[in-house]
């Protein structure tokens, strides 16, 4: 196994951000390749500065490297200038630790946090010197797998990925490791059969998609005895057994989040209908405050990172959040280490919690996500935060000394009317006015509004998505409706949201569009400076695919969906009933604090009811925290 470093190093002065390709970060794990018998390459298919902070990849990296005989290294996508240089001198995609060619690894494992990253994955496979399509790869090639949120509709990438992991990765990576070890020297079919027998692993080549004469999907069916008719999501029920990170990586160059990320709990039952993560990650599983404090203390000692991010889908709902934040703040009192929570709900405001987060005088900004501008619209999406609550929260924040509030909204939600769009501007203006009323002369509000994209495994998976023309019209209406000079509006949607929607709910037929778009030069489609909608429109036209057929039409209850053969934790019938509640503007309470809604999560295989898992420790009514960062 020969390193590419000697050939790569001369290229570094020719490219921007050369430090992204060097490696050598503090706490990186270096193993002698000759002392291991199985090698993983964990790839975040984006630039290093984006992919480095990814919490899931770093946790799996630690878990695998704790095993003897197993080596895990990391890979990221070269930016276009480096890709050009690499292709010119035939340097393949490589790992960061030992700069080994990607093709020398046994497993190349991608994480797919969103769909617009697909062309980067194809580019990485090609740069590795591997056939793009899985059907053309042999036992001599690495196994190519993928996981992450976008893997819950794997069909658009089914022709390119050998196997997908649905759900949590902490346990399944050990099962995959053993399957690859036990089938070494055998054929590719034997390996795929072994993988198909692992809970949470989907092997798309063992399934066929069938279509009706009108173009709709008839269904996706198992065609191999090793492949179950329905693949169940893999779920880790005891987070206490995985107290990571222990030795967090420390970047040597700028990345988007330079912080210690600690997951305080997994799952969410708030029931926001637009939120895929809240549906596919049930049930709620908490880490105890004591475990979180232990992880934080040890990891900061090992890394010296400047910020602690206590992360989850709704961190303020942790039953011990106030004690947790207070104890962590006490532990780092008088240091330069700060604490943050992600953006969160605004239906309550806990002054003490906010004060704990701002110890040391840091009151740079708070982030909230009301998501919609009117109470009617918030009932539709099941995020019932009253305008009164929002203004009270804003007033209290400004009174406590904060000068900047960030608000997140979505435009193009199901049943949305123009008055709902205008309502976004009115809320932002009123929040800015609350700052003036609180005597905060420098009060500022940043309102960010993105185009809504329906996601699989949510109640909105059946709805039509706004066209680019309609989205642009609504966003222009929003821009005209903001009147306060203290409000900075950031609005985006249009073709970026349309392509994301196309990839989100696509079936196997759109794989040809993804491949052609990549061959035409699509890269970094999630970066506005690189995204070119014309490439996607041209690729779709040449493949005979109508993008609007996938995005602009409402599905019926009887229509088969591309992901119906995959169980993400919530039953399809329950999602349909919730879609009907949405169109009737009916909301409901978080089932963590109210009777079970029978969503189906209990069928994931645990012996305990999902309520039992959520109530392992005494619960108190949730408080809503405030975040100091801009992440959501």
């Amino acid at each position: 196994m020969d390193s590419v470093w000697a050939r790569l190093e001369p290229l570094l002065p020719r490219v921007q951000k050369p430090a992204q390709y060097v490696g050598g970060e503090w706490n990186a794990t270096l193993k002698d390749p000759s002392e291991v018998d199985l090698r993983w390459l964990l790839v975040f298919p984006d630039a290093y500065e984006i992919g480095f902070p990814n919490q899931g990849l770093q946790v799996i990296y630690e878990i695998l490297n704790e095993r003897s005989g197993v080596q895990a290294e990391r890979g990221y996508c070269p930016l276009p200038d480096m890709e050009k240089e690499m292709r010119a001198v035939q340097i393949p995609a490589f790992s960061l630790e030992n700069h080994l060619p990607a093709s020398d690894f046994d497993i190349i494992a991608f994480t797919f946090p969103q769909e617009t990253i697909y062309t980067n994955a194809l580019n990485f496979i090609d740069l590795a010197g591997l056939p793009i399509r899985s059907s053309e790869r042999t036992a001599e090639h690495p196994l190519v797998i993928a996981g992450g949120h976008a893997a819950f509709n794997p069909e658009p990438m089914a022709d390119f990925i050998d196997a997908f992991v649905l759900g949590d990765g902490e346990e399944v990576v050990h099962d995959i490791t053993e399957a690859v070890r036990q089938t070494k020297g055998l054929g590719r079919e034997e390996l795929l059969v072994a993988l198909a027998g692992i809970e949470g692993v989907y092997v798309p080549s063992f399934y066929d998609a069938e279509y009706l004469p009108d173009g709709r999907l008839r269904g996706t069916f198992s065609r191999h005895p090793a492949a179950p008719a329905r693949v169940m999501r893999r779920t880790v029920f005891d987070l206490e057994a995985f107290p990571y990170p222990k030795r967090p990586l420390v970047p040597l160059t700028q990345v988007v989040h330079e912080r210690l990320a600690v997951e305080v709990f997994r799952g969410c039952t708030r029931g926001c209908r637009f939120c895929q993560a809240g549906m596919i990650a049930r049930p709620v599983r908490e880490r105890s405050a004591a475990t979180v404090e232990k992880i934080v203390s040890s990891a900061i000692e090992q890394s010296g990172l400047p910020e602690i991010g206590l992360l989850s889908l709704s961190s303020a709902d942790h039953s011990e959040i106030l004690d947790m934040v207070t104890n962590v703040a006490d532990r780092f009192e008088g240091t330069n280490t700060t604490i943050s929570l992600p953006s969160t709900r605004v239906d309550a405001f806990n002054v003490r919690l906010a004060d704990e987060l701002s110890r040391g005088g840091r009151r740079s900004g708070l982030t909230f996500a009301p998501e919609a501008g009117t109470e009617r619209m918030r009932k539709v999406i099941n995020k019932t935060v009253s305008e009164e609550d929002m203004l009270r929260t804003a007033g209290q924040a400004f009174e406590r000394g904060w000068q900047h509030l960030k608000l997140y909204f979505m435009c193009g939600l199901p049943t949305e009317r123009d008055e709902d769009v205008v309502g976004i501007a009115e809320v932002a203006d009123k929040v800015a006015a609350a700052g003036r009323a609180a005597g905060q002369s420098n009060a500022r509000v940043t309102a960010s509004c993105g185009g809504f994209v329906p996601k699989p495994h949510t109640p909105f998976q059946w709805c039509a998505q706004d066209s680019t023309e309609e989205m642009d019209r609504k966003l222009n209406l929003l821009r005209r409706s903001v009147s306060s000079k203290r409000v900075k509006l950031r609005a985006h949607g249009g073709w970026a949201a349309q392509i994301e929607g196309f990839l989100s709910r696509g079936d196997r037929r759109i794989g040809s569009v993804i491949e052609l778009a990549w061959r035409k030069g699509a890269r970094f489609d999630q970066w506005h400076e690189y995204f070119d909608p014309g490439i996607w429109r041209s690729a779709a036209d040449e493949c005979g695919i109508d993008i609007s057929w996938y995005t602009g039409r409402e599905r019926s209850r009887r229509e088969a969906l591309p992901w119906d053969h995959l169980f993400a934790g919530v039953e399809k019938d329950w999602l349909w009933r919730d879609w009907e509640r949405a169109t009737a503007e009916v909301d409901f309470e978080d089932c963590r604090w109210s009777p079970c809604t029978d969503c189906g999560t209990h069928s994931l295989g645990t012996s305990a009811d999902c309520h039992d898992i959520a109530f392992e420790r005494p619960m108190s009514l949730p408080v809503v925290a405030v975040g100091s960062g801009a992440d959501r």
Side-chain angles (χ1 to χ4, degrees), residues 142-219:
L143 173 71
V144 179
I145 65 175
H149 285 182
F152 279 90
N153 177 19
E155 296 305 283
M157 291 291 283
D159 291 335
F160 314 110
I161 303 297
D162 298 322
F164 291 87
V165 173
L166 308 179
D168 301 331
E170 289 92 338
E171 296 171 343
V172 74
V173 291
H174 295 306
D175 297 338
I176 294 172
T177 294
E178 292 309 310
V180 175
R181 273 178 166 163
Q182 292 169 13
T183 56
K184 272 196 171 185
L186 302 178
R188 191 169 184 80
E189 176 81 2
E190 287 81 359
L191 171 57
L192 295 180
V193 166
L195 292 172
I198 298 172
E199 181 180 354
V201 176
Y202 169 58
V203 179
S205 61
F206 288 171
Y207 297 77
D208 287 337
E210 297 181 8
Y211 303 92
L212 298 170
D214 63 2
R216 291 178 299 153
L217 182 69
R218 178 175 174 267

Side-chain angles (χ1 to χ4, degrees), residues 120-409:
N120 282 5
L122 294 191
N123 201 44
F124 191 95
I125 294 171
D126 184 65
L127 273 172
L130 307 180
I132 289 296
R133 292 184 172 261
S134 59
S135 61
E136 298 173 5
R137 297 195 284 267
T138 70
E140 303 304 312
H141 294 117
L143 173 71
V144 179
I145 65 175
H149 285 182
F152 279 90
N153 177 19
E155 296 305 283
M157 291 291 283
D159 291 335
F160 314 110
I161 303 297
D162 298 322
F164 291 87
V165 173
L166 308 179
D168 301 331
E170 289 92 338
E171 296 171 343
V172 74
V173 291
H174 295 306
D175 297 338
I176 294 172
T177 294
E178 292 309 310
V180 175
R181 273 178 166 163
Q182 292 169 13
T183 56
K184 272 196 171 185
L186 302 178
R188 191 169 184 80
E189 176 81 2
E190 287 81 359
L191 171 57
L192 295 180
V193 166
L195 292 172
I198 298 172
E199 181 180 354
V201 176
Y202 169 58
V203 179
S205 61
F206 288 171
Y207 297 77
D208 287 337
E210 297 181 8
Y211 303 92
L212 298 170
D214 63 2
R216 291 178 299 153
L217 182 69
R218 178 175 174 267
T220 305
F221 306 101
S222 170
R223 298 302 188 211
H224 194 287
R230 194 184 197 196
V231 179
M232 304 289 284
R233 186 192 91 199
R234 189 64 173 260
T235 305
V236 170
F237 290 102
D238 183 14
L239 293 188
E240 299 283 81
F242 298 96
Y244 297 92
K246 298 176 182 177
R247 293 170 51 84
L249 294 162
V250 181
L252 299 182
T253 187
Q254 186 176 22
V255 295
V256 290
H257 296 302
E258 188 175 340
R259 68 183 177 196
L260 168 65
V262 178
E263 185 182 30
V264 298
F265 73 82
R266 189 170 299 174
C268 180
T269 48
R270 286 284 194 168
C272 299
R273 293 175 175 129
F274 58 85
C275 181
Q276 184 189 54
M279 298 294 167
I280 65 176
R282 297 181 179 202
V284 171
R285 292 145 286 159
E286 288 193 350
R287 279 196 171 102
S288 68
T291 297
V292 171
E293 292 159 27
K294 183 178 179 180
I295 293 172
V296 167
S297 295
S298 175
I300 289 294
E301 183 177 335
Q302 292 290 329
S303 67
L305 288 165
E307 181 179 337
I308 301 163
L310 302 178
L311 307 183
S312 74
L313 292 175
S314 184
S315 296
D317 287 348
H318 192 289
S319 61
E320 302 174 293
I321 186 63
L322 189 54
D323 289 343
M324 183 191 302
V325 171
T326 300
N327 293 341
V328 172
D330 286 344
R331 166 70 175 78
F332 294 98
E333 182 80 42
T335 72
N336 292 326
T337 303
T338 60
I339 308 170
S340 69
L341 299 185
S343 61
T344 187
R345 301 173 66 95
V346 296
D347 40 356
F349 181 71
N350 187 286
V351 171
R352 182 183 166 193
L353 184 57
D355 286 344
E356 294 292 347
L357 289 168
S358 63
R359 281 202 204 177
R362 181 183 178 186
R363 295 174 184 263
S364 57
L366 301 177
T367 305
F368 300 106
E371 307 294 358
T374 63
E375 292 190 31
R376 185 197 75 83
M377 197 72 253
R378 289 189 289 273
K379 282 183 178 292
V380 170
I381 65 175
N382 200 47
K383 192 158 188 176
T384 48
V385 178
S386 71
E387 185 173 293
E388 180 183 355
D389 283 337
M390 281 189 280
L391 298 180
R392 176 181 52 81
T393 297
Q396 289 182 345
F398 287 125
E399 287 172 0
R400 304 294 293 185
W402 272 273
Q403 298 180 0
H404 185 201
L405 295 189
K406 300 174 186 177
L407 306 175
Y408 286 113
F409 299 93

Side-chain angles (χ1 to χ4, degrees), residues 24 31 58 82 94 124 238 251 275 324 396 424 454 495 528 630:
K31 292 188 177 183
Q58 290 206 25
M82 176 57 93
F94 55 86
F124 191 95
D238 183 14
C275 181
M324 183 191 302
Q396 289 182 345
I424 295 172
W495 270 106
H528 67 85

Side-chain angles (χ1 to χ4, degrees), residues 53-97:
N54 183 263
Q55 181 188 42
L57 187 147
Q58 290 206 25
V59 167
I60 299 302
Y61 177 81
E62 284 199 60
I63 287 173
L64 287 170
N65 278 317
E66 286 180 344
R67 291 189 59 154
S68 62
V70 175
Q71 174 188 29
E73 300 196 11
R74 293 163 296 132
Y76 304 96
C77 288
L79 289 167
D81 59 346
M82 176 57 93
E83 180 193 344
K84 181 179 178 181
E85 297 286 348
M86 289 170 61
R87 289 191 183 276
V89 295
Q90 297 184 322
I91 293 178
F94 55 86
S95 68
L96 201 60
E97 279 76 5

